[in-house]
Amino acid sequence: MEPCRTAAVDDQLASTSEIQSQLSSVVYDLSQQMQMAMENMLKMINEIDQSSTEVTEDLEKSKDSALERKKTLEEQKEDFQRAAYAILNMLNNQESG
């Protein structure tokens, strides 16, 4: 081989090696960033899951509380209706007698 060609081939090999090294560095950096992003997403998913569980529990408590309140109000309504009918009956009996 000619000396000029050998130098050119050596330069090209060195340039190729440098490019490969830079590409490897970029790929490594990207994989590190992706790993960090995935870890952060996993943390956020866990936080969302925890919050979702808490919201679901709160909704169940509210639902139970609302059902209890509804039951209490229906019982009070029935009591007032019985009292009203009793008063009406008393008034009707007074008018009849």
Side-chain angles (χ1 to χ4, degrees):
M1 250 189 202
E2 298 174 20
C4 191
R5 264 188 146 177
T6 304
V9 169
D10 287 346
D11 286 348
Q12 190 175 11
L13 287 175
S15 177
T16 301
S17 176
E18 178 65 26
I19 290 170
Q20 286 176 341
S21 174
Q22 289 174 352
L23 283 175
S24 291
S25 178
V26 167
V27 168
Y28 177 79
D29 288 346
L30 263 173
S31 75
Q32 290 296 102
Q33 289 176 8
M34 287 300 295
Q35 183 175 354
M36 287 174 43
M38 290 176 68
E39 287 173 2
N40 287 337
M41 286 185 352
L42 182 60
K43 287 178 188 175
M44 287 190 293
I45 288 170
N46 288 333
E47 288 173 8
I48 290 169
D49 187 47
Q50 179 65 33
S51 295
S52 173
T53 300
E54 291 172 4
V55 167
T56 301
E57 289 172 356
D58 288 346
L59 283 173
E60 284 299 316
K61 288 177 187 174
S62 294
K63 179 182 171 185
D64 292 343
S65 176
L67 289 173
E68 279 296 316
R69 181 70 179 140
K70 179 182 177 186
K71 181 181 172 186
T72 301
L73 288 172
E74 286 175 355
E75 290 171 355
Q76 288 176 348
K77 175 185 167 186
E78 290 172 7
D79 290 343
F80 282 118
Q81 285 177 338
R82 277 193 288 275
Y85 287 133
I87 291 170
L88 286 174
N89 283 335
M90 286 176 24
L91 291 175
N92 283 337
N93 287 339
Q94 284 181 350
E95 288 177 8
S96 300

